[in-house]
Amino acid sequence: MKLIVNGASLDIDQARTIEELLVELKLAGKGAIVELNQEILDKSQHAETRLANGDKVEIVHFVGGG
Amino acid sequence: MLKVGNYEFSSRLLLGTGKFPDFDIQKEAVKVSGTEILTFAVRRMNIFDPDQPNFLEKLDAENFTLLPNTAGAKTAEEAVRIAKLAKASGLCDMIKVEVIGDFKTLLPDPLETLRASEMLLEEGFTVLPYASDDVILAQKLEELGVHAIMPGASPIGSGLGIINPLNISLIIEQANIPVIVDAGIGSPADAAAAMELGADGVLLNSAVSGADDPVKMAQAMKLAIEAGRLGYEAGRIPKKRYASASSPLEGMSI
C-alpha cells in the first residue's frame, strides 16, 4: 500500500491501521498526533482507523517552543 | 494565584521549552524556575528517525500544564488547525494563539490573531492570544472572551525588554482578565518591571534557554517575578523631582 506520510511517498508492508502504521515506523509511544486526509484523529481512534491506498497522513508531535 | 479560565497556578512564570542546550540542563532549569506551565510547538515528526526522543517524557511533562502554541501559523485557519492537532494529543485544552504577520520581526498579525481567537473560543479552547501591545486590540480580545491576554514586551527572542511600558500598563489597567507579558524579556530586571506594572504573569523562553547558565537564570527569573509582584502589591512610592529627607530634620546636635 502506498501512503503519503508527512509529504513523503511510502510503501507500507504490514500496517492496515493508524496504530499499526506508527508501530511500523517505530513511532509508537512517542506522543504522535495524527491527521488522516486532513481530518484530525483523537488518540482513541488510532487503533480502529483503517488506512487505504493513497491516503495522506500527517504525523506531528510536541517540540520545544516558546 | 494566577487564574486562567478554569486553571489556577501559584507560579506566575510561564516557561518556553525551545532552544535549551540539552535535556538535563532544561529539566533542571524548569525545576528551579518553579513554573507550572510549559509551552510547546507542534511540528511534523521525523518519520525516518525511530530513535527520536519523546520530548514530553524527557521533561516529565505530565507534572505541568501544557500550553501549546500555534507558532508557524500565518492565518487564523492555520492556527486553528495547529490548535486542534495539539488538543488531539488528549493532554491539554489551552492554546497560545500565535499568528505571525511578518517573519523578520515575528510580530503578531492583530487581525488574524483576533479571528483565530474567536474561532478557537467557539471550539471550546482555553484561549491565550499572544498579541501586539495595542491597547484597543486587547479590549477587543477581552470582549471576545479570551481567557488571558499576552501582549509582547518586544519582538520574540530580541531580549529588548518592555519597549512600551505605557501601553502595557494601560492594557493591565483596563483588563478584567489576566495579562501575561510574553516575548522580548531579556533580563530579570525586565521580568520584574513587567510584574511591577501589574502584570499577572510573564512568559519567557530565550532569556533562560539562551543564557550562559540557563539554570541560574531560571532561578533569577523566578525571584524577579516574585519580587516584582510583591513590589506591585506593596505599592511603590510616587516619583518626585526633589528630595525628601528620610532622617528627621529636628533635634540635630550641630
Side-chain angles (χ1 to χ4, degrees):
Chain A
M1 180 164 55
K2 276 196 192 303
L3 301 175
I4 309 287
V5 184
N6 287 2
S9 188
L10 287 190
D11 270 316
I12 296 299
D13 302 327
Q14 305 286 333
R16 290 296 173 264
T17 65
I18 294 292
E19 189 172 89
E20 288 166 10
L21 176 67
L22 293 175
V23 171
E24 192 164 325
L25 295 173
K26 299 193 170 61
L27 300 176
K30 291 189 173 171
I33 303 162
V34 182
E35 187 185 62
L36 175 62
N37 299 326
Q38 302 189 331
E39 190 177 322
I40 297 165
L41 304 174
D42 270 333
K43 243 180 169 174
S44 60
Q45 297 173 282
H46 288 187
E48 72 204 31
T49 304
R50 297 190 65 80
L51 293 162
N53 197 42
D55 274 349
K56 281 190 182 151
V57 185
E58 284 288 317
I59 305 177
V60 302
H61 64 157
F62 287 129
V63 300
Chain B
M1 275 292 188
L2 170 61
K3 291 183 187 171
V4 181
N6 295 323
Y7 298 85
E8 283 188 14
F9 306 99
S10 48
S11 165
R12 294 178 180 275
L13 169 59
L14 292 76
L15 192 61
T17 58
K19 298 201 284 191
F20 279 82
D22 64 54
F23 277 122
D24 290 336
I25 289 174
Q26 181 161 13
K27 246 177 116 161
E28 191 57 25
V30 167
K31 192 173 137 197
V32 304
S33 77
T35 189
E36 295 161 82
I37 306 173
L38 294 176
T39 67
F40 293 91
V42 176
R43 290 290 179 273
R44 275 179 170 172
M45 286 183 107
N46 181 349
I47 57 168
F48 302 111
D49 178 13
D51 298 324
Q52 62 196 294
N54 182 333
F55 192 72
L56 295 183
E57 217 168 77
K58 282 274 185 188
L59 289 183
D60 296 333
E62 72 269 17
N63 299 326
F64 299 90
T65 298
L66 307 188
L67 176 60
N69 65 36
T70 64
K74 299 179 291 297
T75 65
E77 284 73 18
E78 288 172 6
V80 169
R81 174 174 172 264
I82 296 171
K84 285 181 174 176
L85 283 168
K87 198 176 189 176
S89 70
L91 301 173
C92 47
D93 76 341
M94 267 192 176
I95 191 73
K96 168 176 161 173
V97 180
E98 179 173 342
V99 188
I100 298 302
D102 168 56
F103 279 80
K104 190 171 175 190
T105 59
L106 295 182
L107 289 171
D109 181 327
L111 302 180
E112 292 299 302
T113 301
L114 195 74
R115 223 157 58 76
S117 297
E118 187 167 22
M119 291 157 80
L120 289 165
L121 286 165
E122 274 171 28
E123 297 276 349
F125 283 84
T126 300
V127 178
L128 295 80
Y130 160 61
S132 40
D133 60 0
D134 186 279
V135 182
I136 309 306
L137 175 64
Q139 275 178 21
K140 304 226 170 203
L141 285 165
E142 181 165 349
E143 281 165 22
L144 280 183
V146 300
H147 299 86
I149 305 170
M150 306 209 292
S154 51
I156 294 170
S158 69
L160 289 171
I162 302 175
I163 285 179
N164 193 338
L166 176 65
N167 271 21
I168 297 286
S169 65
L170 289 172
I171 289 170
I172 290 165
E173 203 179 291
Q174 73 185 5
N176 298 302
I177 52 176
V179 176
I180 297 165
V181 172
D182 178 8
I185 298 294
S187 71
D190 298 335
M195 296 308 293
E196 280 194 60
L197 289 174
D200 297 280
V202 170
L203 195 167
L204 53 87
N205 184 345
S206 306
V208 168
S209 65
D212 289 343
D213 184 338
V215 176
K216 205 169 258 188
M217 188 57 85
Q219 189 183 3
M221 290 299 184
K222 173 189 196 287
L223 296 172
I225 287 167
E226 287 172 4
R229 179 66 190 182
L230 281 174
Y232 169 73
E233 288 174 1
R236 60 151 297 152
I237 61 165
K239 290 182 183 180
K240 288 179 290 192
R241 281 169 58 80
Y242 296 102
S244 313
S246 45
S247 307
L249 298 174
E250 293 116 39
M252 301 225 289
S253 69
I254 47 167

